[in-house]
Amino acid sequence: MRRRCGFRYEKKLRATGVTRIAGIDEAGRGALAGPVVAAAVVLPEKFRHRRLNDSKQLAPELREQIYSHLVSNPEVRRTVGIIDSLEIDRINILRASHRAMRLAITALIDPPDHVLIDGLPVIPFPLPQTAIIDGDCISLSIAAASVIAKVTRDRMMRDFCAQFPQYCFGQHKGYGTELHLLRLHEFGPCPIHRRSFEPVAQPLLALEEFSELRSSPPRRTRREVSVQVSQA
């Protein structure tokens, strides 16, 4: 059953005396090109937004509107951490995603008391954390971080599109769409492609797999699990 995005995890923490809570999420982990971007967001306790949700479930226009609402609110504290494709290839995407998250959280001027993270725990991490599977659909703090990260990265990819127009980064944002794989097969990788990702090295094989997947739609099973990890 679908649960509405809200403040239930934040309220549980506040009931224990935790007052400053950040949500953190990343964008671009599964892309074949461009950076991975993480955002950390601290929302005021009385924050309300009827349409804020996981950025992947929002239409681009609505996502931009919510982004503008968040960044124009002086009570919303936010930072981003960005790891480029070269560093992703050097240390792998999981470590790069975690590094981006740590960069984002440590960039906040007033460090939070606790962090809500989308997905699995990030170890090591400089602050106490609660990792929540599908947290961007459950916690408003994480949903806000997902919007900030997604819009920030999308804008970067549109800028890259101006530099490398043949790949149409403005349309697919570096993800492995059929259009992207076709252009990658035709032109080969450019400087922002992740060379350690197999579809970049073998775009023709990836195209064949894409066609097979498209003929049988995937089924997604949702889970909600909370894991507490506290570190001094």
Side-chain angles (χ1 to χ4, degrees):
M1 182 177 67
R2 183 180 176 85
R3 302 180 67 182
R4 185 175 178 180
C5 197
F7 273 137
R8 54 189 166 276
Y9 280 92
E10 290 87 339
K11 288 177 179 177
K12 288 179 182 178
L13 286 168
R14 290 191 177 104
T16 67
V18 177
T19 58
R20 188 171 170 81
I21 303 160
I24 193 164
D25 198 7
E26 54 77 23
R29 184 167 171 173
L32 305 181
V36 61
V37 177
V41 178
V42 178
L43 298 176
E45 186 174 353
K46 302 298 183 181
F47 178 87
R48 296 291 182 273
H49 196 293
R50 186 170 54 87
R51 306 184 74 180
L52 175 58
N53 203 342
D54 168 22
S55 64
K56 296 184 292 298
Q57 299 186 26
L58 302 173
E61 298 81 7
L62 178 57
R63 194 163 54 224
E64 288 279 350
Q65 291 174 19
I66 295 174
Y67 174 89
S68 297
H69 177 82
L70 291 169
V71 301
S72 64
N73 186 337
E75 294 186 291
V76 174
R77 306 299 181 191
R78 68 199 184 280
T79 55
V80 296
I82 301 170
I83 301 296
D84 66 20
S85 57
L86 292 176
E87 187 69 359
I88 291 170
D89 284 338
R90 192 180 72 83
I91 65 176
N92 80 42
I93 185 58
L94 178 61
R95 290 177 179 173
S97 299
H98 289 180
R99 180 170 292 183
M101 290 181 176
R102 288 191 290 267
L103 285 173
I105 206 68
T106 56
L108 285 168
I109 295 175
D110 298 318
D113 305 310
H114 199 96
V115 180
L116 301 176
I117 296 179
D118 182 50
L120 299 175
V122 177
I123 300 174
F125 201 72
L127 295 167
Q129 63 177 289
T130 298
I132 309 169
I133 301 297
D134 290 334
D136 47 7
C137 304
I138 298 169
S139 161
L140 282 172
S141 298
I142 298 177
S146 77
V147 169
I148 296 292
K150 174 65 174 168
V151 173
T152 298
R153 187 181 185 278
D154 283 357
R155 291 179 176 183
M156 294 179 70
M157 295 308 295
R158 285 195 290 269
D159 289 341
F160 282 128
C161 190
Q163 297 181 50
F164 310 105
Q166 66 271 36
Y167 298 97
C168 304
F169 288 131
Q171 294 184 44
H172 50 70
K173 310 304 187 295
Y175 287 91
T177 65
E178 185 175 20
L179 171 62
H180 188 187
L181 293 171
L182 283 168
R183 296 304 175 89
L184 187 56
H185 177 60
E186 181 178 359
F187 298 106
C190 75
I192 68 164
H193 276 103
R194 302 173 184 177
R195 307 301 178 101
S196 58
F197 280 43
E198 187 173 350
V200 175
Q202 302 186 62
L204 185 58
L205 178 60
L207 266 171
E208 294 171 354
E209 293 175 350
F210 183 92
S211 298
E212 292 175 4
L213 287 172
R214 190 172 54 179
S215 63
S216 56
R219 291 178 297 175
R220 183 166 180 242
T221 301
R222 294 182 57 80
R223 295 188 298 140
E224 178 180 326
V225 180
S226 177
V227 180
Q228 283 272 20
V229 178
S230 297
Q231 297 179 334

